[in-house]
Amino acid sequence: MHLLPDAWTWDMWFVDDGRQFHAFYLKASRALIDPERRHLRASVGHAVSDDLRTWTELADAFVPSDGPAFDDLAIWTGSMLRGPDGDWRFFYTGCSRARPEVQRISVARSRDLVHWTRDTGAPVLEADPTWYEKLGDSTWDNETWRDPWVLRAGDEWHMLLTARARDGELRGRGVVGHAVSADLEHWDVRAPLSEPDTGFGQLEVLQLVEVEGRLVLLFSCLGAELSDARRATDDRGGVWSLPVDSPTGPFDVGRATRLTDHRWYAGRLVEDRAGRWNLMAFRNEGDDGAFVGGIGDPVPVTWDGERLVLAGYDISSGTAPHARHRLTGE
């Protein structure tokens, strides 16, 4: 039930180059034994597919730098897009050996989605204490500033980030962080696009796309990171969705609804060749409660009134149609 037999795979993002789908995903060796150790050993794997189901593994796309640098310990989740100059850009999260609890953002470039080079002239983007919690501002164990999702809106580029507000309940400070650029090179950190105290300690792996003519914001949060008020009515984490009116907010995150429970996590919406939108997520927990770490097959999504839902998905059982997790080469 895993994409790779020798490595855990988890958070992912996708690129359609017009010929193939490219999956990029965090990965770490299963030799670590304890899957919780994977986070500080993460690099970026790469596979290609014609149908989002059968994948061929390529060489790893991106690994931590030699350092000393902000990204010399682990590479975490990001997103990719093609800029006006034709270069692919990978906006990614980095963690350092010197300050592993602090998350920062930078960019790498590629002409072919295979060979990536760090943009050494690009600034490293950090959380601005004007609006965002810094390490030591609360008992939260890290400086949350990661998972950049970059999109074009109007005349500017906008980066949405997993971030935490300076104020609010500990497990309610999760907000949609925001930065703006005119050229994909220079970024200004702005105020968050959502308010705190909506029930989430953090909004992980953000994505904003248009599905069937309507914008939707996707994010994930584990049950242990939900606020007391939200846990009192439903203590399960998972993948969440929120219909929105504008790509630049404001977002009323308190209205979000769950697509999956915690057994499927860090979901991404991907459009297949038939024009149908699907959710793809990693298998977080198996039936025994142990971490699994494998990428699932696409599950179609559709709108049910104001709510995005998965076609044929049974949250109570954790199963989905065609939920095959193929080994490479199978």
Side-chain angles (χ1 to χ4, degrees):
M1 292 185 64
H2 309 95
L3 179 63
L4 301 176
D6 58 347
W8 286 298
T9 59
W10 62 107
D11 294 12
M12 73 213 78
W13 53 99
F14 297 89
V15 172
D16 181 359
D17 68 3
R19 296 179 300 106
Q20 289 182 306
F21 296 101
H22 295 252
F24 298 89
Y25 42 85
L26 302 188
K27 62 179 292 191
S29 173
R30 293 180 181 273
L32 293 169
I33 307 299
D34 178 3
E36 287 305 306
R37 297 177 61 199
R38 74 188 189 277
H39 298 292
L40 296 183
R41 304 293 192 280
S43 57
V44 178
H46 184 192
V48 293
S49 173
D50 294 325
D51 60 5
L52 294 173
R53 295 179 181 277
T54 302
W55 296 91
T56 299
E57 185 189 6
L58 304 182
D60 287 354
F62 207 68
V63 298
S65 66
D66 292 335
F70 88 100
D71 60 353
D72 62 6
L73 177 62
I75 304 298
W76 286 357
T77 307
S79 61
M80 295 173 179
L81 58 81
R82 186 170 238 161
D85 57 3
D87 280 0
W88 292 97
R89 286 170 172 80
F90 172 30
F91 293 93
Y92 68 94
T93 310
C95 296
S96 71
R97 296 179 183 275
R99 302 184 70 196
E101 304 91 350
V102 175
Q103 300 152 16
R104 288 171 281 190
I105 308 299
S106 195
V107 64
R109 292 175 179 250
S110 175
R111 298 296 294 183
D112 58 8
L113 290 171
V114 174
H115 305 93
W116 292 91
T117 302
R118 286 170 170 81
D119 188 342
T120 55
V124 175
L125 200 63
E126 301 187 41
D128 187 328
T130 304
W131 299 289
Y132 300 103
E133 181 182 86
K134 302 288 281 186
L135 188 66
D137 286 345
S138 75
T139 57
W140 200 259
D141 62 2
N142 63 72
E143 186 172 304
T144 305
W145 188 251
R146 65 178 183 275
D147 306 347
W149 179 262
V150 178
L151 60 109
R152 181 79 171 180
D155 296 329
E156 294 180 307
W157 297 92
H158 296 263
M159 183 184 295
L160 311 184
L161 299 121
T162 297
R164 282 173 52 82
R166 290 184 55 85
D167 302 302
E169 178 191 345
L170 181 67
R171 284 182 281 110
R173 293 190 183 189
V175 292
V176 179
H178 187 210
V180 174
S181 175
D183 57 8
L184 289 175
E185 304 289 338
H186 306 91
W187 292 88
D188 294 320
V189 177
R190 302 280 179 85
L193 297 177
S194 66
E195 296 294 329
D197 292 327
T198 57
F200 301 95
Q202 54 186 357
L203 315 176
E204 298 196 274
V205 193
L206 289 154
Q207 182 189 24
L208 194 151
V209 294
E210 184 177 304
V211 174
E212 298 176 1
R214 184 156 195 189
L215 291 171
V216 61
L217 180 71
L218 207 69
F219 64 91
S220 294
C221 187
L222 292 171
E225 294 162 353
L226 299 174
S227 69
D228 290 338
R230 189 170 285 273
R231 285 171 58 85
T233 58
D234 186 351
D235 64 356
R236 291 176 296 174
V239 181
W240 303 72
S241 71
L242 173 70
V244 299
D245 296 323
S246 166
T248 57
F251 304 134
D252 185 1
V253 173
R255 296 176 48 244
T257 57
R258 266 193 313 109
L259 276 169
T260 75
D261 67 16
H262 60 280
R263 285 170 285 188
W264 296 93
Y265 203 69
R268 297 288 197 182
L269 293 169
V270 187
E271 187 177 21
D272 63 24
R273 287 284 182 264
R276 171 175 279 188
W277 283 92
N278 303 269
L279 181 81
M280 297 188 69
F282 80 84
R283 183 68 166 177
N284 182 40
E285 287 189 12
D287 294 337
D288 60 357
F291 181 76
V292 176
I295 299 174
D297 280 354
V299 180
V301 299
T302 190
W303 290 101
D304 180 7
E306 293 293 303
R307 180 172 182 158
L308 192 70
V309 297
L310 301 180
Y313 185 84
D314 180 3
I315 286 180
S316 64
S317 69
T319 60
H322 311 299
R324 299 184 300 273
H325 302 256
R326 302 184 180 186
L327 297 176
T328 301
E330 186 173 311

